[in-house]
Structure formats: C-alpha cells, structure tokens
Amino acid sequence: MALLEVKDLKVRVEEREILHGLTLTVNEGEVHAIMGPNGSGKSTLSHVIAGKPGYEVTDGQILFKGEDLLEMDPDERAAKGVFLAFQYPVEIPGVATMTFLRTALNAQRKARGESEYSTPDFLKKVREVSKSLNIPQDMLKRGVNVGFSGGEKKRNEVLQMALFEPSLCILDEMDSGLDIDALRIAADGVNALRSPGRAMVVITHYQRLLNYIVPDFVHVMSRGRVVKSGAKDLALELEASGYTQFEDA
Amino acid sequence: MPAVQETVDRVKRIDVDQYRYGFETLIDSEKAPKGLSEEIVKFISQKKNEPAWMLQWRLEAYRRWLTMTEPTWARVDYPKIDFQDLYYYAAPKPKKAVSSLDEIDPEILKTYEKLGIPLREVAMLEGVEPKVGEEDPARRKIAVDAVFDSVSVATTFKAELKKAGVIFMPISEAIREHPELVQKYLGSVVPTSDNFYATLNSAVFSDGSFVYVPPGVRCPMELSTYFRINERNTGQFERTLIIADKGSYVSYLEGCTAPQRDENQLHAAVVELVAHDDAEIKYSTVQNWYPGNSEGKGGIYNFVTKRGDCRGANSKISWTQVETGSAITWKYPSCILRGDNSRGEFYSIAISNGFQQVDSGTKMIHLGKNTSSRIISKGIAAGKSQNTYRGLVTAHRKATGARNFTACDSLLIGDKCGAHTVPYIEAKNSSATFEHEATTSKISEDVLFYCIQRGLSQEEAVGLVVNGFVKDVLQQLPMEFAVEAQKLISISLEGSVG
C-alpha cells in the first residue's frame, strides 16, 4: 500500500479551478520533488493535503495509509503523521517556542492515545534534537518565530519535523528567503530525517534545493496537473531548458 | 453552546429554584421587601447592628442618590433598570447541604477540572460538609499542606495575621470593632457623591472586606487565599476598604476562577484603597460572573467603582484584572497619584464572547510631583461582543515630571465583534511625558492553521494564541492564580470560532 495516493484531484478556490485532475503516488522511504512555474498549483497541493481551509475539492481522492485524508480535520491529519513545513512560518508573539512544541507534541500524542510526555522527558528530547540541528537553547525561549531570521524559521520547521516524527513531510518552497549557508544547514537537517519509514514531498521552484536534498523522483507541474515525471536527472534538464516547454502542454 | 455556558446555565437554574424555596420559607426574617426607600436603608443598617453614624452615612448617600441619574456615556446597551424592582437585602442563603462530591453536577466538576482547581477546594466551594467523625488525620494534613480548605485553616490564617497586626475582617465587623479606622477612611477615596452606582452602593452595601496593614508591616500572605474561602456569599453591593499604612505592603486577590452564579442581576461594588508613605498595595481581580446565555439573555450587570489613593510619598498601587464574565462590565480601577514620586499601575485582560459588552479601563490622575503610571490593557473580543477600552490620563498643573506609558492592544476573533479604544489624555503642565500606543488586530487564519497543522484543535489554537497575546498581563498575577486564569481564558473563548 502506498503511503500517499492522490487520485485525479480537482480543487477550486473561489470558483476558479486550480488543480485539474492531479495524480501522485508516494511510497514510504521515497523523496519526491515537485517542480513547476509559479501558479502551477504546487502550493495548493500542499495546502489541500494538510487541510488548509479555503480550498474546495470537487473531485478525486487523497488516501493516506489507505485512509480517506479528506474526511479528516487538519489536526487529525497531523496526529496521523502529515507534516507541512511552511514556506512562510508564522510568528506567534508571547508563546514561547518551547511551550508551543510541548503543547503540539502532547496534543498529537493524546490524539493517538499515547501518554503525554513529562516535562523532564520532553526537555531531554528537545535538547537532543535541537543540538543536532545546531539550534541554540535561547531560541527555544523566544516567542514562536518572533524575530527569527529566515534561516532560523526554517530550522525551527525542521526541528518540529524531527520532534513530531511524521511519516509524510511536505516541504513547501523551503529554499525561499534562504542564503546558501542557511539552506545547507536546513537541508542537512532534512537529510538526517530521511528514513525507510518516512516519505518526503519537496516542493520547489528552483533546482538549487535539489542539489542538497536529492530526490528519488521528480514531477513537473504545470497548470494544475503533473505533466512529466522522471528520476532526479529531470530536474537538471529543467534547469537547462526551463518550464516554457510545458506551458502549452 | 459552549460547555461553560451550559454549566453556568444549569447552575443558574438550580439556584433559582433554591432561591424560590428560600423566599417562601424565610420571607420575613431574611429578606427585605423589593424596592429602595429610607426604611430599607434603615432595615439594612439595623440588620447589621450598625452604629448611628453608619446609618447616617448611608442615609445621606441615599438622599444624594435620589437626585442623581444613571450614567449613559459608556458604550454599553441594556434595558433601563427598574431600581424599585430589586431586592437590596438578603441574608446569605444557606446552600443545600451536600455530603459528598458525588452529589455535585458532573458538568460543574468538569469545569473545575478544566480550571485545575483541586478537588479539596471544590468540596469547599460547593459546600460539601465533612461527615461527622470523619475528620481523619490524612484530611487534616492535606488541608494544612495545601493551604486551601477547611475552617481550621482559615483560623490559622487569622492567628498569623493577628500576630503581624494585620486587621482582616468583613467590613460589617470592622464597622463595629474598628469604627475609628472605618470612619476615617470609608468614602475618603470614593466619596458618597461620586457617581450613581457608587452612591447607591454607599446607601445599601451589604458586606465586603476590610484590611488594615500597620506601619512597616509586610502582610505575611496573599490575602487571596483566605478570601477565597471566606467570601462565597457576598451580596450584590460589595464594599471593600484596604489601608496600607506607612511602609507596609499587601497583596489582595478578589474573585474566583470557578464559575460564579448569582441570581442578582445588578452588581455595584465599591473598592477603596489607601496607600500611605512608602506603602504598596497590589490588588488583583479575577471576575467570572455569569455572562448570560448564548442568545444574550440574562447575565450580571457589573457596575463597579474601584479607586486607589496613593496618598503618601513613594507609595504604589497596582491593579491587575482578568475579566471574563458578566453580561455588562462598567469598570475603571483608577489611581490618584497624590503623593510625590507615587506610582500607579493598571494591567488588564478583558475578554468578551457571546453578547457580552465590556466598557473598562482606568484613570491615572497625576497630582504629585514626579509621579508615574503604567497601563497595559489587552482586550479580546469574540462572538458578537463589544469590547471598549476607556482610559483617562491626566496631569495636574503642579504635577511636574509626571510620566505615563499606555499600551492598549485589542484582538478580534471572528467578524461579528467589535473592539474600541477611547483614550483621554490631558497634560496641564509642560513637563509631563505621556506615551500612548494602541493596536487592533484580528486573530490570523494563517496563525491558527499553523497551530492546527501541528496537531492543536481549533479551540486549543485560539487559546494558545490568546494566552500569548495576554502574557504580559498574566505575569502580573500572583503565581497560583496565573495558571488558573490562563485556563479560564481558554474556557471563556470556547465556541468563539467555527
């Protein structure tokens, strides 16, 4: 059974159809890159999988571990193992990052019927993970993403990914707003999380990110559909020839 | 319907029945007839065995009140109150005796559980009577360790306070036992002629607390703890008077995070604080009165006058309030900064949901030299509620070097509520420095979705964001109440989204 199966998905936003029948299958352990020009529907796909309000699915299906994902509330999807690393992580003033992490992790565990972490166990776990990602402890005391640099915000996303241990990670334009060093640090963090039980969907406009997170498969999206799929070399081809060849496809 | 409202509704129904029962059997001795007249004022005074001067004081207030009209400037809307259709005196009604927690409505217990109030205390708040002969040593030990619970602990507090010289008693007792102090200070901050509701309160106040801290004494405990046990049945016209003599300190918390039920619709309390030279009073309020049902029916009208007088040099008065209840709130805890170098603070969280209307804020009146004040107000409006901050900062001609900092932030949840900020700023001398900052924001869908994507439910997400928003004020609350207040905030916003 595939981890994620998107079948002939049609999605509207305010009367305008954005996805016109998209199909994608992701198995455990695989890393898929989704590339495409602006407005091709890449971010819409990531939002619909995560359950962001404002999108109307008019046709098609999304199965996650064989279950109908579209029937689940977004927090339920999170607890089942769907994680979206946001292109623009939001700031939450007054809520310490540490508090946020613990509240979220325990909410997920509770939803799965697991026991909540005790404070010492939680602290130990966060310290381990943040150390491996080179995240200083004082960053965890600050408000969630408040005053964080672009790189810190993305590292905070990776930290959460590492902490929540999801089975599907969707990385939405992870490279936007990052300089090359910040990108490398974040990508290293993501690579460390690659595992046979976990799949990743990496959404990006540029091939650059895929030098750091090397995918198993590359899909090209244009006008709300996957128009071409292939191995990692496809990304390099695209870099050379651009997206225009698909514009009229 | 949000769980908390359901609970409160249910509780209210229960209470109304008890009330009727009490009315039928105890009509002559325990309750004055409806309406207000000199006879009723005399009746109240007599019931309380008050000295003649007190009765005179009340009657003067009553006569004054007859000449006054209700204020209409607040941004609140309610049907006209018929003051002759209210009861002005009812002895605290005996609660139905309950012998164990099992007999208490599980819905109520659930609310307590959400608030994290220990069961021992629930038993006390709900009036569970200890079984005779069951005063086991374990129970006593818990009582002593846990601070809350049981009359004997209250007595321990009393002894300790007495040792420190602190007077802390119902104001009705203080009128008899310490008339010289009461006569000197009562009405010295909020005069009987102050405003319509304060004057009404002066005529008919039922009871309240009296605190006197002698010179140089630091009150050995938060007076909240004792108060919480003691003040369950205070009537609708509370009167509180706190005096901190030279160089003393006292911290006082009124109210309770547990849902408060009361069949009295009109509440008009008066609180007066007096801080002498180098003294400090910290006054915190957690108010969770019945807010009315989901259609906006019922609920408490809370018309309160609270004022602190920094009478001495270097004195300090700090108000902290968490207001989540009441259908209508009309409340402006204020500071008169009379002494040189005195300092006033106001920290407020006002949450409105459903059809609640809040018009609240503060007044900082700078009279002395080099006085300073600080106002941090956080208003949160949800549902179809209206939430107004109204504040006055003024510096007298002689108040050279006066300083104020004000920050008013409003947060809107949903698109059917309103937040309003009405600041009045007056500087009558050129050396005053007043700063005012105000923001209004809407709780962002993107922020909520971010939290929900991380596994929080919609309501948990709102609670988290709001608690972040009010953090600066929560930090001002006494430690043990900050946690409860935080939970209360989440509960009062239940059902505010989606």
Side-chain angles (χ1 to χ4, degrees):
Chain A
M1 181 176 60
L3 181 70
L4 177 74
E5 281 185 275
V6 181
K7 291 182 192 164
D8 201 28
L9 188 69
K10 291 184 181 167
V11 174
R12 278 167 178 264
V13 177
E14 290 169 358
E15 303 301 305
R16 202 165 74 90
E17 194 168 272
I18 309 281
L19 299 183
H20 313 287
L22 183 138
T23 296
L24 177 72
T25 302
V26 178
N27 294 303
E28 282 186 343
E30 295 175 352
V31 175
H32 292 243
I34 296 185
M35 302 185 70
N38 291 328
S40 58
K42 306 187 299 289
S43 284
T44 298
L45 175 64
S46 69
H47 291 159
V48 172
I49 294 173
K52 188 173 180 174
Y55 296 91
E56 189 197 349
V57 176
T58 52
D59 202 6
Q61 188 171 40
I62 305 178
L63 296 180
F64 181 66
K65 298 175 183 170
E67 290 182 83
D68 186 353
L69 200 64
L70 296 174
E71 284 297 305
M72 298 178 204
D73 286 336
D75 48 328
E76 216 180 325
R77 300 182 197 190
K80 294 257 182 202
V82 176
F83 183 92
L84 172 62
F86 286 77
Q87 181 177 7
Y88 302 110
V90 298
E91 300 184 1
I92 315 177
V95 179
T97 304
M98 197 66 115
T99 307
F100 179 76
L101 296 176
R102 192 173 62 213
T103 310
L105 181 59
N106 280 336
Q108 291 192 20
R109 291 181 65 87
K110 213 173 143 188
R112 292 194 291 261
E114 298 165 9
S115 65
E116 295 185 13
Y117 268 106
S118 70
T119 306
D121 288 351
F122 172 77
L123 288 176
K124 195 169 157 237
K125 194 170 160 77
V126 173
R127 283 210 188 96
E128 272 170 28
V129 175
S130 54
K131 205 171 165 192
S132 71
L133 285 165
N134 224 343
I135 291 174
Q137 290 297 306
D138 74 289
M139 197 172 125
L140 301 176
K141 290 178 191 151
R142 283 149 64 188
V144 177
N145 293 325
V146 177
F148 284 23
S149 68
E152 284 174 329
K153 284 183 182 174
K154 294 296 162 79
R155 262 188 283 162
N156 192 18
E157 295 293 283
V158 180
L159 168 67
Q160 293 177 56
M161 210 190 293
L163 207 55
F164 302 155
E165 303 176 49
S167 39
L168 174 67
C169 305
I170 303 161
L171 313 178
D172 191 6
E173 306 274 5
M174 195 172 128
D175 47 339
S176 67
L178 292 195
D179 61 37
I180 204 78
D181 293 324
L183 177 59
R184 186 177 294 128
I185 295 171
D188 285 348
V190 172
N191 285 327
L193 294 174
R194 291 176 79 150
S195 85
R198 179 174 296 140
M200 295 190 185
V201 175
V202 182
I203 291 172
T204 182
H205 186 80
Y206 299 105
Q207 191 271 335
R208 181 180 78 154
L209 175 64
L210 305 181
N211 291 335
Y212 298 95
I213 304 173
V214 180
D216 302 308
F217 302 97
V218 175
H219 309 276
V220 181
M221 268 186 82
S222 176
R223 300 186 173 188
R225 282 191 190 88
V226 172
V227 289
K228 190 164 188 187
S229 296
K232 64 183 172 191
D233 299 341
L234 180 57
L236 295 170
E237 273 174 46
L238 277 174
E239 186 75 352
S241 55
Y243 291 118
T244 38
Q245 51 176 316
F246 302 108
E247 289 293 279
D248 300 313
Chain B
M1 194 190 285
V4 67
Q5 268 178 17
E6 230 168 339
T7 308
V8 175
D9 272 351
R10 193 171 304 184
V11 169
K12 188 152 161 76
R13 278 200 297 277
I14 297 168
D15 255 13
V16 167
D17 294 343
Q18 284 182 0
Y19 168 88
R20 277 198 202 113
Y21 180 75
F23 180 72
E24 280 168 21
T25 52
L26 302 168
I27 181 164
D28 297 325
S29 56
E30 296 301 330
K31 189 169 273 180
K34 261 187 188 173
L36 188 51
S37 62
E38 291 210 359
E39 279 59 49
I40 294 290
V41 175
K42 283 178 190 160
F43 176 87
I44 295 168
S45 187
Q46 193 192 352
K47 271 279 164 201
K48 299 191 161 291
N49 292 321
E50 287 175 355
W53 60 266
M54 193 65 240
L55 172 62
Q56 213 45 47
W57 197 85
R58 285 179 181 273
L59 285 172
E60 272 165 34
Y62 172 69
R63 287 168 198 147
R64 177 82 189 202
W65 180 74
L66 289 175
T67 69
M68 298 170 94
T69 47
E70 285 180 75
T72 52
W73 43 262
R75 197 189 174 95
V76 292
D77 184 31
Y78 54 95
K80 205 164 162 50
I81 299 168
D82 181 355
F83 289 91
Q84 293 303 335
D85 193 39
L86 297 173
Y87 290 103
Y88 291 89
Y89 179 82
K93 58 178 189 291
K95 289 177 74 96
K96 207 179 96 193
V98 189
S99 61
S100 88
L101 279 173
D102 302 339
E103 291 176 35
I104 292 165
D105 190 331
E107 276 297 317
I108 296 179
L109 289 179
K110 225 192 289 175
T111 306
Y112 279 119
E113 195 189 310
K114 280 187 193 166
L115 286 164
I117 295 175
L119 270 187
R120 294 256 149 226
E121 205 178 327
V122 174
M124 181 270 303
L125 288 167
E126 291 296 324
V128 176
E129 293 182 340
K131 288 195 186 93
V132 184
E134 227 180 68
E135 286 286 322
D136 59 304
R139 180 187 159 87
R140 210 168 288 153
K141 186 169 180 297
I142 290 166
V144 174
D145 288 345
V147 177
F148 296 115
D149 197 13
S150 101
V151 179
S152 64
V153 177
T155 323
T156 314
F157 287 157
K158 253 190 176 162
E160 201 179 323
L161 288 170
K162 201 172 171 189
K163 214 171 121 194
V166 176
I167 302 171
F168 181 33
M169 55 175 59
I171 198 158
S172 54
E173 262 177 69
I175 288 167
R176 295 192 298 268
E177 291 179 26
H178 301 281
E180 69 302 338
L181 284 173
V182 177
Q183 249 178 313
K184 183 173 172 192
Y185 290 104
L186 189 71
S188 73
V189 186
V190 179
T192 49
S193 57
D194 193 80
N195 70 71
F196 185 82
Y197 293 108
T199 306
L200 176 63
N201 175 288
S202 301
V204 300
F205 72 85
S206 31
D207 215 334
S209 296
F210 176 82
V211 179
Y212 173 79
V213 190
V217 170
R218 198 181 162 87
C219 187
M221 66 192 69
E222 297 269 353
L223 290 184
S224 54
T225 47
Y226 176 84
F227 186 75
R228 232 160 111 136
I229 294 166
N230 204 33
E231 288 298 318
R232 272 290 291 164
N233 286 317
T234 318
Q236 63 192 124
F237 299 102
E238 262 177 84
R239 185 95 195 185
T240 296
L241 177 58
I242 299 176
I243 302 133
D245 217 324
K246 289 180 183 172
S248 68
Y249 169 84
V250 61
S251 168
Y252 185 92
L253 188 134
E254 71 161 337
C256 187
T257 50
Q260 294 283 298
R261 54 245 220 187
D262 197 312
E263 76 271 22
N264 298 314
Q265 202 177 21
L266 175 66
H267 275 242
V270 172
V271 175
E272 295 178 279
L273 313 180
V274 179
H276 288 289
D277 289 358
D278 305 303
E280 181 178 346
I281 301 175
K282 187 175 161 67
Y283 192 104
S284 314
T285 306
V286 176
Q287 185 263 116
N288 187 22
W289 295 106
Y290 178 55
N293 69 10
S294 55
E295 278 100 50
K297 286 220 175 79
I300 303 289
Y301 295 176
N302 196 21
F303 300 113
V304 187
T305 305
K306 291 185 167 177
R307 198 172 301 152
D309 188 355
C310 285
R311 212 163 274 184
N314 308 310
S315 57
K316 181 179 169 189
I317 287 178
S318 172
W319 298 99
T320 305
Q321 59 173 23
V322 179
E323 301 276 327
T324 62
S326 298
I328 295 173
T329 303
W330 181 97
K331 181 182 173 189
Y332 316 89
S334 307
C335 296
I336 300 168
L337 304 168
R338 201 184 302 274
D340 291 345
N341 307 311
S342 62
R343 184 172 169 79
E345 292 174 342
F346 175 74
Y347 299 101
S348 169
I349 299 171
I351 298 182
S352 55
N353 196 356
F355 285 85
Q356 283 176 281
Q357 305 175 63
V358 178
D359 194 302
S360 183
T362 184
K363 287 187 268 186
M364 293 291 174
I365 298 160
H366 294 256
L367 301 177
K369 293 183 180 31
N370 300 315
T371 48
S372 64
S373 60
R374 184 179 171 84
I375 299 169
I376 309 284
S377 164
K378 305 277 184 180
I380 297 132
K384 292 177 179 161
S385 66
Q386 296 293 328
N387 202 321
T388 303
Y389 167 82
R390 188 182 303 276
L392 169 73
V393 178
T394 176
H396 188 264
R397 205 164 40 80
K398 289 178 180 163
T400 49
R403 276 171 299 141
N404 166 265
F405 173 77
T406 300
C408 294
D409 298 318
S410 306
L411 186 69
L412 296 164
I413 301 173
D415 52 10
K416 294 188 179 70
C417 52
H420 318 273
T421 304
V422 191
Y424 304 82
I425 301 167
E426 285 172 3
K428 291 182 184 149
N429 75 71
S430 57
S431 63
T433 314
F434 290 171
E435 288 177 68
H436 182 94
E437 292 175 5
T439 67
T440 301
S441 51
K442 206 165 175 284
I443 197 161
S444 144
E445 293 294 328
D446 285 343
V447 170
L448 288 182
F449 180 63
Y450 186 85
C451 297
I452 294 166
Q453 207 296 308
R454 297 304 188 245
L456 301 188
S457 69
Q458 178 96 357
E459 279 177 352
E460 286 168 334
V462 171
L464 190 80
V465 172
V466 169
N467 272 308
F469 177 73
V470 301
K471 189 176 145 226
D472 299 349
V473 176
L474 275 184
Q475 283 171 342
Q476 299 296 330
L477 279 179
M479 189 56 183
E480 66 267 44
F481 286 97
V483 178
E484 275 179 39
Q486 196 173 352
K487 289 177 185 157
L488 177 64
I489 289 164
S490 303
I491 291 174
S492 41
L493 287 168
E494 273 178 8
S496 62
V497 274

